[in-house]
Amino acid sequence: MAEQQEHQKKRYESDMTRKDKRELEKEKLHSMGWKGKLEYIWAYYKPQMAAILGVILLICFIVEWVDNMKKDDIFYAAVINANMEEDPDLAAADFKAYLGDEDEYHIVTIDTSLQMYGDAQTEYAMQAKTLALIAAGSLDVMICNEENYEHYSEQESFFDMKTEVLSEELYEELKDYVQGDAILIQDAPKWKELGLTAYEPVYLCAVASGKNLENTVAFIEYLFQE
Protein backbone atom coordinates (compact mmCIF):
# COMPACT_ATOMS: atom_id res chain seq x y z
CA MET A 1 0.00 0.00 0.00
CA ALA A 2 2.84 2.40 0.94
CA GLU A 3 4.67 1.61 -2.32
CA GLN A 4 1.51 2.35 -4.27
CA GLN A 5 1.09 5.70 -2.52
CA GLU A 6 4.73 6.60 -3.19
CA HIS A 7 4.32 5.64 -6.87
CA GLN A 8 1.20 7.78 -7.11
CA LYS A 9 3.02 10.67 -5.44
CA LYS A 10 5.92 10.50 -7.93
CA ARG A 11 3.50 10.24 -10.80
CA TYR A 12 1.57 13.22 -9.48
CA GLU A 13 4.78 15.28 -9.15
CA SER A 14 5.87 14.41 -12.69
CA ASP A 15 2.64 15.91 -14.03
CA MET A 16 3.13 19.19 -12.15
CA THR A 17 4.28 22.42 -13.77
CA ARG A 18 7.60 23.99 -12.74
CA LYS A 19 5.77 26.59 -10.70
CA ASP A 20 3.78 23.88 -8.87
CA LYS A 21 7.00 21.95 -8.20
CA ARG A 22 8.63 25.04 -6.72
CA GLU A 23 5.64 25.58 -4.46
CA LEU A 24 5.76 21.93 -3.38
CA GLU A 25 9.47 22.22 -2.55
CA LYS A 26 8.81 25.35 -0.51
CA GLU A 27 6.17 23.45 1.48
CA LYS A 28 8.61 20.58 2.07
CA LEU A 29 11.33 22.95 3.25
CA HIS A 30 8.92 24.86 5.45
CA SER A 31 7.99 21.66 7.29
CA MET A 32 11.63 20.70 7.98
CA GLY A 33 14.06 21.74 10.69
CA TRP A 34 17.26 23.60 9.75
CA LYS A 35 19.29 20.38 9.63
CA GLY A 36 16.73 18.69 7.41
CA LYS A 37 16.67 21.74 5.13
CA LEU A 38 20.44 21.62 4.68
CA GLU A 39 20.39 17.89 3.93
CA TYR A 40 17.52 18.35 1.46
CA ILE A 41 19.18 21.23 -0.36
CA TRP A 42 22.51 19.40 -0.52
CA ALA A 43 20.87 16.18 -1.78
CA TYR A 44 18.82 17.80 -4.52
CA TYR A 45 20.96 20.78 -5.54
CA LYS A 46 24.50 19.39 -5.17
CA PRO A 47 25.33 19.53 -8.93
CA GLN A 48 24.00 23.08 -9.26
CA MET A 49 25.87 24.23 -6.14
CA ALA A 50 29.10 22.60 -7.37
CA ALA A 51 28.69 24.34 -10.74
CA ILE A 52 28.09 27.73 -9.09
CA LEU A 53 31.12 27.24 -6.81
CA GLY A 54 33.23 26.29 -9.82
CA VAL A 55 32.18 29.43 -11.67
CA ILE A 56 32.97 31.60 -8.61
CA LEU A 57 36.42 30.02 -8.24
CA LEU A 58 37.10 30.47 -11.96
CA ILE A 59 36.13 34.15 -11.77
CA CYS A 60 38.38 34.64 -8.71
CA PHE A 61 41.28 32.94 -10.52
CA ILE A 62 40.82 35.10 -13.63
CA VAL A 63 40.62 38.31 -11.55
CA GLU A 64 43.79 37.38 -9.62
CA TRP A 65 45.59 36.38 -12.83
CA VAL A 66 44.71 39.66 -14.55
CA ASP A 67 45.74 41.61 -11.43
CA ASN A 68 49.11 39.80 -11.29
CA MET A 69 49.65 40.48 -15.00
CA LYS A 70 49.51 44.19 -14.21
CA LYS A 71 52.27 43.95 -11.59
CA ASP A 72 55.77 45.05 -12.51
CA ASP A 73 58.79 44.23 -10.33
CA ILE A 74 60.81 47.44 -10.44
CA PHE A 75 63.41 46.45 -7.82
CA TYR A 76 64.34 43.27 -5.93
CA ALA A 77 67.04 43.16 -3.27
CA ALA A 78 67.96 40.08 -1.26
CA VAL A 79 69.56 40.53 2.15
CA ILE A 80 71.40 37.35 3.11
CA ASN A 81 71.37 36.45 6.82
CA ALA A 82 69.29 39.50 7.62
CA ASN A 83 68.21 40.69 11.04
CA MET A 84 64.75 39.07 11.25
CA GLU A 85 63.56 41.48 13.94
CA GLU A 86 63.16 44.28 11.39
CA ASP A 87 60.30 44.50 8.87
CA PRO A 88 61.67 44.54 5.28
CA ASP A 89 58.31 45.72 3.92
CA LEU A 90 58.80 49.05 5.69
CA ALA A 91 62.17 49.43 3.99
CA ALA A 92 60.64 48.54 0.60
CA ALA A 93 57.85 51.08 1.07
CA ASP A 94 60.31 53.75 2.17
CA PHE A 95 62.52 53.21 -0.89
CA LYS A 96 59.50 53.28 -3.21
CA ALA A 97 58.47 56.59 -1.65
CA TYR A 98 62.03 57.85 -2.21
CA LEU A 99 61.63 56.97 -5.90
CA GLY A 100 58.41 58.96 -5.96
CA ASP A 101 56.63 55.97 -7.46
CA GLU A 102 52.94 55.85 -6.52
CA ASP A 103 51.89 53.14 -8.99
CA GLU A 104 50.28 50.36 -6.94
CA TYR A 105 51.34 47.78 -9.53
CA HIS A 106 55.03 48.68 -9.28
CA ILE A 107 56.55 46.25 -6.80
CA VAL A 108 59.65 46.86 -4.66
CA THR A 109 60.88 43.81 -2.75
CA ILE A 110 63.41 43.60 0.07
CA ASP A 111 63.77 39.85 0.64
CA THR A 112 65.15 38.80 4.04
CA SER A 113 64.21 35.11 3.77
CA LEU A 114 67.67 33.92 2.65
CA GLN A 115 69.13 32.67 5.92
CA MET A 116 72.32 30.81 4.98
CA TYR A 117 73.37 29.35 8.27
CA GLY A 118 72.29 26.45 10.44
CA ASP A 119 71.89 22.94 9.04
CA ALA A 120 73.32 21.98 5.66
CA GLN A 121 69.92 21.15 4.14
CA THR A 122 68.54 24.64 4.88
CA GLU A 123 71.67 26.32 3.54
CA TYR A 124 71.51 24.25 0.36
CA ALA A 125 67.86 25.23 -0.17
CA MET A 126 68.67 28.92 0.33
CA GLN A 127 71.59 28.74 -2.12
CA ALA A 128 69.33 27.04 -4.67
CA LYS A 129 66.76 29.82 -4.29
CA THR A 130 69.44 32.49 -4.72
CA LEU A 131 70.81 30.85 -7.87
CA ALA A 132 67.27 30.54 -9.25
CA LEU A 133 66.64 34.27 -8.69
CA ILE A 134 69.94 35.14 -10.37
CA ALA A 135 69.32 32.80 -13.32
CA ALA A 136 65.81 34.20 -13.83
CA GLY A 137 67.08 37.79 -13.82
CA SER A 138 64.77 38.56 -10.91
CA LEU A 139 67.45 39.71 -8.47
CA ASP A 140 68.83 43.23 -8.83
CA VAL A 141 70.86 43.58 -5.64
CA MET A 142 72.48 41.16 -3.22
CA ILE A 143 73.42 42.38 0.25
CA CYS A 144 75.57 39.97 2.22
CA ASN A 145 78.55 39.29 4.46
CA GLU A 146 82.12 38.78 3.24
CA GLU A 147 81.88 35.01 2.93
CA ASN A 148 78.83 35.07 0.65
CA TYR A 149 80.21 38.02 -1.29
CA GLU A 150 83.41 36.16 -2.13
CA HIS A 151 81.46 33.02 -3.08
CA TYR A 152 79.25 34.77 -5.65
CA SER A 153 81.93 37.22 -6.80
CA GLU A 154 84.15 34.29 -7.81
CA GLN A 155 81.31 33.17 -10.07
CA GLU A 156 81.29 36.62 -11.73
CA SER A 157 77.71 37.24 -10.64
CA PHE A 158 78.05 41.02 -10.24
CA PHE A 159 78.56 44.19 -12.26
CA ASP A 160 81.74 46.18 -11.63
CA MET A 161 80.76 49.16 -9.50
CA LYS A 162 83.07 51.74 -11.04
CA THR A 163 82.73 50.90 -14.73
CA GLU A 164 79.21 49.43 -14.99
CA VAL A 165 77.05 50.80 -12.17
CA LEU A 166 78.04 54.18 -10.78
CA SER A 167 78.25 57.41 -12.74
CA GLU A 168 81.59 59.25 -12.57
CA GLU A 169 80.10 61.79 -10.19
CA LEU A 170 78.59 59.19 -7.87
CA TYR A 171 81.77 57.11 -7.96
CA GLU A 172 83.83 60.12 -6.87
CA GLU A 173 81.41 60.65 -4.01
CA LEU A 174 81.44 57.03 -2.84
CA LYS A 175 84.82 55.72 -4.01
CA ASP A 176 86.04 55.17 -0.45
CA TYR A 177 83.28 52.55 -0.06
CA VAL A 178 83.73 50.85 -3.44
CA GLN A 179 85.52 47.51 -3.54
CA GLY A 180 85.61 46.14 -7.09
CA ASP A 181 82.19 44.70 -7.80
CA ALA A 182 80.77 45.71 -4.41
CA ILE A 183 80.14 48.73 -2.26
CA LEU A 184 80.42 48.59 1.52
CA ILE A 185 77.25 49.94 3.12
CA GLN A 186 77.59 49.24 6.85
CA ASP A 187 78.31 52.95 7.44
CA ALA A 188 75.65 54.24 5.02
CA PRO A 189 73.26 56.42 7.08
CA LYS A 190 70.05 54.90 5.75
CA TRP A 191 71.32 51.33 6.06
CA LYS A 192 72.14 51.95 9.72
CA GLU A 193 68.64 53.32 10.21
CA LEU A 194 66.98 50.30 8.58
CA GLY A 195 68.92 47.88 10.82
CA LEU A 196 68.52 44.92 8.48
CA THR A 197 71.94 43.39 9.25
CA ALA A 198 73.86 42.76 12.45
CA TYR A 199 77.19 41.77 10.86
CA GLU A 200 80.07 43.78 9.38
CA PRO A 201 81.26 44.42 6.76
CA VAL A 202 78.11 44.57 4.64
CA TYR A 203 78.55 44.17 0.89
CA LEU A 204 76.05 45.50 -1.64
CA CYS A 205 76.43 44.04 -5.12
CA ALA A 206 74.56 44.75 -8.36
CA VAL A 207 73.62 41.38 -9.87
CA ALA A 208 74.72 41.20 -13.51
CA SER A 209 71.50 39.51 -14.65
CA GLY A 210 69.30 42.09 -12.93
CA LYS A 211 66.85 44.09 -15.04
CA ASN A 212 66.54 47.29 -13.01
CA LEU A 213 70.02 48.82 -12.95
CA GLU A 214 68.65 52.37 -12.83
CA ASN A 215 66.77 51.62 -9.60
CA THR A 216 69.83 49.78 -8.25
CA VAL A 217 71.78 53.03 -8.58
CA ALA A 218 68.88 54.90 -6.99
CA PHE A 219 68.94 52.42 -4.08
CA ILE A 220 72.64 53.10 -3.47
CA GLU A 221 71.96 56.85 -3.48
CA TYR A 222 69.04 56.25 -1.12
CA LEU A 223 71.24 54.38 1.37
CA PHE A 224 73.93 57.07 1.45
CA GLN A 225 71.60 60.04 1.75
CA GLU A 226 72.23 62.14 4.83
Side-chain angles (χ1 to χ4, degrees):
M1 185 67 176
E3 291 180 1
Q4 185 177 1
Q5 288 177 343
E6 182 65 24
H7 177 73
Q8 289 177 346
K9 180 180 177 183
K10 289 182 179 179
R11 185 176 178 183
Y12 167 69
E13 291 182 2
S14 66
D15 294 334
M16 296 173 68
T17 65
R18 289 185 178 179
K19 182 178 179 181
D20 291 336
K21 287 180 179 179
R22 286 197 297 269
E23 291 298 324
L24 180 61
E25 288 181 357
K26 286 181 182 179
E27 291 178 8
K28 289 179 181 178
L29 287 170
H30 185 70
S31 64
M32 297 177 183
W34 67 269
K35 186 176 180 180
K37 288 178 181 179
L38 290 175
E39 291 175 348
Y40 179 84
I41 291 171
W42 178 247
Y44 286 90
Y45 295 100
K46 187 172 6 180
Q48 294 92 326
M49 292 173 68
I52 291 170
L53 179 60
V55 170
I56 292 172
L57 291 174
L58 179 61
I59 292 172
C60 290
F61 171 78
I62 292 173
V63 169
E64 184 177 359
W65 179 73
V66 170
D67 195 56
N68 285 334
M69 286 291 289
K70 295 178 182 178
K71 293 179 179 179
D72 182 15
D73 294 310
I74 64 169
F75 182 73
Y76 193 123
V79 185
I80 296 178
N81 295 342
N83 178 8
M84 301 302 289
E85 294 180 1
E86 300 296 333
D87 186 355
D89 291 340
L90 295 178
D94 191 51
F95 176 53
K96 189 177 180 183
Y98 171 82
L99 292 174
D101 191 324
E102 297 181 354
D103 191 325
E104 64 176 311
Y105 293 107
H106 285 178
I107 308 301
V108 170
T109 301
I110 308 293
D111 185 357
T112 59
S113 67
L114 298 170
Q115 300 294 314
M116 294 188 186
Y117 54 81
D119 62 276
Q121 186 174 0
T122 300
E123 186 169 342
Y124 177 80
M126 293 298 98
Q127 288 180 350
K129 178 182 176 180
T130 304
L131 289 174
L133 288 170
I134 293 173
S138 301
L139 190 59
D140 297 303
V141 163
M142 180 186 294
I143 297 171
C144 57
N145 59 18
E146 186 172 10
E147 180 182 355
N148 282 288
Y149 160 67
E150 290 177 351
H151 173 75
Y152 289 100
S153 181
E154 287 174 0
Q155 299 177 31
E156 300 182 348
S157 301
F158 309 129
F159 283 122
D160 182 81
M161 277 289 162
K162 180 179 180 180
T163 61
E164 298 177 290
V165 179
L166 304 178
S167 65
E168 290 184 12
E169 182 182 354
L170 188 56
Y171 174 75
E172 284 301 317
E173 183 181 339
L174 301 177
K175 63 183 179 181
D176 291 340
Y177 303 98
V178 174
Q179 183 175 307
D181 53 2
I183 185 166
L184 299 174
I185 63 170
Q186 66 270 10
D187 294 324
K190 197 65 181 181
W191 189 251
K192 285 183 175 182
E193 181 184 323
L194 295 174
L196 289 174
T197 50
Y199 52 79
E200 290 189 7
V202 182
Y203 292 78
L204 182 151
C205 307
V207 180
S209 61
K211 301 172 182 176
N212 301 292
L213 187 57
E214 183 179 347
N215 284 339
T216 294
V217 175
F219 187 67
I220 293 170
E221 293 174 327
Y222 161 77
L223 294 180
F224 281 92
Q225 65 178 317
E226 293 295 339

